[in-house]
Amino acid sequence: MVIYGVALLSFCMLVGVFLGDLLGELIGVQANVGGVGIAMLLLILLSNLTSQRFSLAPMTESGIHFWSAMYIPIVVAMAARQNVVAAVSSGWMAIIAGVAAVAASFLLIPVLSKAGRGRPE
Amino acid sequence: MSGDVLARVLTENSLIAAFVVVGALVMVSYWLSARLTRGHIHGSAVAIALGLLLAYAGGVATGGSKGLADIGVFAGIGIMGGAMFRDFAIVATAFGAELEALKKAGLVGALSVVIGVVLSFVVGALVALAFGYTDAVSVSTIGAGAATYIVGPVTGTALGASSEVVALSIAAGLTKSVLVMIGTPLVAGRIGLDNPHSAMIYGGLMGTTSGVAGGLAATDPKLVPYGAMTATFYTGVGCLLAPSVLYLVVRAVL
């Protein structure tokens, strides 16, 4: 049933966000630490676990695939609700700080990619 | 009169109205992508850029902070594009991700989060210095804002920065997230962003969840789970490092 997939997905997200909030309180920061990442790992583990003994029914899978496919439209909606005016009208310092941080990070990607690959297996 | 009824229906069913608006927006974007750019610029990249433009228009029209979602009949955009649905959809993309790829890039992915926070902080702090800020609290807050627009205010609040500096730190983070959304598909080829390994490093270095979500959607949706995985740890690590270790370093240097 479709709801099984949606429920599994929701369960993973709630557990992840809960653990992320707990982790944040534990180390004393006012933020969720990796909640979504933990939820993703949980979903991957659970779906791999089930595939060894019994596989998820196609309808159950479609409950997860639907939300995965809604990802881009949701991101488009997310873009449409950003505070773009504040980003472009706050003066040069904020803009330059943001642009410089992005440029520096982009430049470091190939360096780290190579470093990560270069390690002996 | 029928106009009033329509506005009421759209407001009362705002999330459903948002599905129609976003559906139309995506349709127009894919058409523009195929016709004007012959598919060179991906349809979802066009859709995200149009979304940001509409957000700007909405912000100018209402003076609010939620872009298009501040206009009554478009309020559903705020729900659909809010953190709850965004995170839900990101988690869903993990279904079908390869555990092996995650394991292989695990260490360098984790390392990239710490490097990313420190790098953005240092760059932001240097820009603050260049613009004449000399007190450690302001410099650290603006540096933290260059990490993400959540790390900035969290750091500023913890250190007791002025509200003007906190606002600047949020703006720096917003600029970063918007630029990552637009810039990623443009530079993806040159920085080798075409496999799970580099996507995890990319997520760790960029850190802005919305920026990474938008940037990868416009580049290659298959890479989303890998980038999102590392990016979701970034803000937490930033909130941990910026008001503590990084602030102490700034205070020692200045």
Side-chain angles (χ1 to χ4, degrees):
Chain A
M1 293 230 271
V2 171
I3 185 62
Y4 294 164
V6 181
L8 177 68
L9 178 58
S10 307
F11 172 77
C12 290
M13 172 157 157
L14 290 178
V15 171
V17 173
F18 173 71
L19 290 178
D21 265 359
L22 223 54
L23 197 57
E25 292 217 351
L26 213 65
I27 55 181
V29 298
Q30 303 143 288
N32 185 292
V33 181
V36 173
I38 297 169
M40 293 167 89
L41 282 175
L42 191 63
L43 181 67
I44 295 173
L45 288 176
L46 281 180
S47 55
N48 281 354
L49 191 81
T50 50
S51 72
Q52 282 163 10
R53 290 183 219 152
F54 58 97
S55 56
L56 292 179
M59 282 306 273
T60 306
E61 285 198 355
S62 73
I64 303 173
H65 281 307
F66 172 78
W67 285 104
S68 175
M70 281 299 282
Y71 172 75
I72 285 175
I74 285 173
V75 165
V76 172
M78 177 196 79
R81 57 155 289 169
Q82 298 293 309
N83 195 353
V84 181
V85 174
V88 297
S89 61
S90 56
W92 283 106
M93 195 206 70
I95 293 175
I96 291 174
V99 171
V102 174
S105 305
F106 273 149
L107 286 176
L108 207 57
I109 291 173
V111 179
L112 275 183
S113 294
K114 243 177 237 162
R117 288 252 162 96
R119 282 181 304 124
E121 291 288 302
Chain B
M1 194 189 131
S2 60
D4 288 348
V5 175
L6 181 66
R8 201 188 68 220
V9 168
L10 292 179
T11 311
E12 283 176 354
N13 303 287
S14 61
L15 182 57
I16 310 301
F19 291 153
V20 176
V21 173
V22 173
L25 191 61
V26 169
M27 202 183 210
V28 170
S29 303
Y30 276 78
W31 185 83
L32 285 174
S33 159
R35 289 297 162 91
L36 292 186
T37 76
R38 297 189 181 184
H40 284 308
I41 299 175
H42 198 271
S44 44
V46 177
I48 290 164
L50 279 183
L52 290 169
L53 262 178
L54 288 173
Y56 181 81
V60 169
T62 65
S65 64
K66 284 192 292 186
L68 196 63
D70 279 321
I71 299 173
V73 293
F74 296 128
I77 299 272
I79 304 171
M80 183 178 171
M84 183 172 69
F85 276 124
R86 183 198 65 195
D87 291 349
F88 194 55
I90 288 176
V91 175
T93 63
F95 192 65
E98 287 169 51
L99 206 53
E100 282 310 301
L102 285 175
K103 274 188 200 153
K104 247 186 228 164
L107 184 69
V108 71
L111 203 64
S112 70
V113 175
V114 178
I115 295 173
V117 168
V118 174
L119 179 70
S120 289
F121 182 93
V122 169
V123 169
L126 287 177
V127 172
L129 282 172
F131 274 80
Y133 288 89
T134 50
D135 63 297
V137 170
S138 300
V139 170
S140 300
T141 304
I142 292 164
T148 73
Y149 57 78
I150 297 172
V151 182
V154 166
T155 303
T157 311
L159 300 178
S162 71
S163 67
E164 176 219 337
V165 168
V166 170
L168 282 173
S169 79
I170 296 173
L174 279 175
T175 307
K176 180 177 177 182
S177 117
V178 169
L179 194 67
V180 171
M181 279 186 227
I182 301 174
T184 302
L186 302 178
V187 300
R190 256 168 283 173
I191 58 176
L193 183 58
D194 56 7
N195 57 74
H197 181 87
S198 58
M200 280 183 77
I201 291 165
Y202 160 85
L205 283 177
M206 295 300 160
T208 144
T209 313
S210 30
V212 167
L216 286 180
T219 307
D220 181 358
K222 278 200 279 303
L223 298 177
V224 168
Y226 306 101
M229 179 77 73
T230 43
T232 62
F233 285 91
Y234 187 99
T235 290
V237 171
C239 292
L240 182 65
L241 294 181
S244 55
V245 185
L246 294 174
Y247 166 67
L248 291 177
V249 171
V250 170
R251 207 178 56 175
V253 170
L254 291 179

